[in-house]
Amino acid sequence: FELASNVENRSKWDERWVKCEKLDDAEAQGGAAHHIEMKKPPIPFVSARDIVATFWKDDSAFEGKKCQYSTSIEHSGCPPNKNF
């Protein structure tokens, strides 16, 4: 769980993630805002992805379970990229 939920280090082991840049904590909703670039998955009609998202963990949501949540957000430091 700790390996998969560590957003800053995920691009080191997840070959789908090309880049992960922490933007800041101020504009995020629940956790730090990150800009993530992903490779094109091996699925027809799906292109490479460029997302801005926030991730947060909750160890209290379910007894004995750990949960990681994420949601895409808009961020002034990373406007939409037309290359994706």
Side-chain angles (χ1 to χ4, degrees):
F1 178 79
E2 292 304 320
L3 179 65
S5 64
N6 186 329
V7 179
E8 286 83 15
N9 289 324
R10 186 164 176 172
S11 59
K12 294 177 183 173
W13 62 267
D14 191 338
E15 62 186 37
R16 297 172 300 164
W17 286 30
V18 175
K19 181 175 113 176
C20 178
E21 173 187 7
K22 183 175 179 179
L23 298 172
D24 66 37
D25 295 318
E27 294 185 45
Q29 302 154 353
H34 290 82
H35 174 234
I36 302 163
E37 293 181 10
M38 295 184 214
K39 293 180 183 176
K40 179 193 178 325
I43 302 170
F45 311 111
V46 178
S47 62
R49 297 285 182 228
D50 169 44
I51 63 170
V52 176
T54 182
F55 298 84
W56 67 97
K57 301 179 209 177
D58 185 357
D59 295 341
S60 65
F62 303 98
E63 187 175 331
K65 306 289 182 194
K66 295 182 178 186
C67 297
Q68 177 181 354
Y69 303 95
S70 66
T71 186
S72 59
I73 61 171
E74 291 188 12
H75 191 280
S76 62
C78 193
N81 184 341
K82 296 184 184 204
N83 293 327
F84 285 92

